[in-house]
Amino acid sequence: MRLRVEFTTEPFDLDEVPAHAAVARRVVEGAGLDTVDVGPFGNTVEGGADAVLATVDALLRSTLAAGATRISFQVNVAGEEGR
């Protein structure tokens, strides 16, 4: 199974990148997922279910430790692995 996850971390800061946002970027870019799109108001990753779920776990742990006060996720099944 392939999963697509959209997520945001808060609080927002339009003047500089918050530490939790920088940590989130490092986690997803280093996760070896098929698709990573990082933006100022939302982020999207896609890949195999095991890799995506491990990344979600790492995101939760690391961004909370870096000061995130809210993390929102939307998870969608994107298809079957290998398709």
Side-chain angles (χ1 to χ4, degrees):
M1 178 185 310
R2 294 182 53 75
L3 298 176
R4 180 180 305 115
V5 174
E6 298 173 47
F7 70 93
T8 58
T9 61
E10 297 179 42
F12 295 115
D13 185 338
L14 297 178
D15 294 326
E16 63 182 67
V17 177
H20 59 81
V23 165
R25 182 179 195 129
R26 284 194 300 273
V27 168
V28 297
E29 287 181 342
L33 299 173
D34 299 335
T35 303
V36 173
D37 183 18
V38 177
F41 299 108
N43 310 284
T44 305
V45 297
E46 186 173 323
D50 289 340
V52 170
L53 294 173
T55 301
V56 167
D57 178 64
L59 274 168
L60 285 168
R61 293 174 189 278
S62 63
T63 57
L64 289 169
T69 58
R70 179 180 175 131
I71 305 159
S72 302
F73 287 96
Q74 179 173 318
V75 180
N76 292 293
V77 174
E80 293 300 318
E81 191 67 40
R83 285 189 178 177

